[in-house]
Amino acid sequence: MKLYTFDIAPNPRRVALFMQYKGITLDTQQIDLGKLEQFSDSYKAINPDCSVPALALDSGDCLVDVVAICSYLEGVHPDKPLLGADNLKRAQVLGWMHRLYLSGFMAVADMLRNQGDMFKDRALPGPDKVEQIPALVSRGRDRLAGFFRQMNSICETRDYLVGDSLTQADIDLLVVCEFAAWVKETVPESCAALLAHMARVRAALPAS
């Protein structure tokens, strides 16, 4: 297997923390998004979606979604499960991963990609040109503020999002909160339970 990634980007970080917790090491190649290496012909041959991460399997298949990559690696490395220890918890973890992506990651991405020259004509990831919509920046900021409030309320009722131990849902929540810094936003001090959850997740992860 070979993992194509870009360590500082949020979706690669979700996979990196998954692997770090489980002690998984893979042959890895960095695809520098700042240099637009994701659009190179050589990488397009691996992942036509021009996104990272991508996990190329020995079979010749390639997985290009975080949920798919984590699911495959969990099957190969079942120790210290992060996707749930039974069918119900697995469904709950996957549900949270989807919800966090739509409500959190996409709010930040709207703010990031719909302003400035860096993402001009690249308002959405992928090989096709997509025009920026500046109004999505303010909407994304409102969505993110609501996301922080909602997650704080949930974190007031539990230590972990699913069950009584760390799962990938908790890791994803940490990553989206850190991703907010890319648009100069942070979890407000009023969200004490969410801040405590972030600290709890960081403490549960092995040192890199």
Side-chain angles (χ1 to χ4, degrees), residues 5-33:
T5 190
F6 187 50
D7 285 343
I8 65 172
N11 282 325
R13 181 159 168 74
R14 294 164 68 194
V15 173
L17 291 178
F18 176 93
M19 292 171 52
Q20 180 180 323
Y21 180 79
K22 291 173 73 72
I24 300 170
T25 57
L26 293 174
D27 181 19
T28 301
Q29 179 177 330
Q30 297 292 314
I31 303 297
D32 193 328
L33 304 187

Side-chain angles (χ1 to χ4, degrees), residues 142-157:
D142 291 342
R143 289 181 65 199
L144 183 63
F147 172 80
F148 286 152
R149 291 192 299 270
Q150 292 162 11
M151 294 311 305
N152 184 68
S153 295
I154 290 166
C155 290
E156 287 177 338
T157 67

Side-chain angles (χ1 to χ4, degrees), residues 131-203:
E131 185 177 354
Q132 292 173 320
I133 303 176
L136 292 180
V137 177
S138 58
R139 191 186 75 170
R141 185 174 291 108
D142 291 342
R143 289 181 65 199
L144 183 63
F147 172 80
F148 286 152
R149 291 192 299 270
Q150 292 162 11
M151 294 311 305
N152 184 68
S153 295
I154 290 166
C155 290
E156 287 177 338
T157 67
R158 64 192 78 177
D159 288 339
Y160 297 99
L161 292 180
V162 178
D164 57 4
S165 60
L166 183 77
T167 70
Q168 187 63 27
D170 302 298
I171 291 173
D172 281 5
L173 178 54
L174 172 65
V175 173
V176 69
C177 290
E178 293 176 340
F179 182 34
W182 288 39
V183 290
K184 297 181 171 57
E185 297 286 341
T186 57
V187 177
E189 292 184 6
S190 59
C191 293
L194 178 53
L195 289 168
H197 181 274
M198 294 169 64
R200 189 178 304 114
V201 175
R202 289 188 180 113

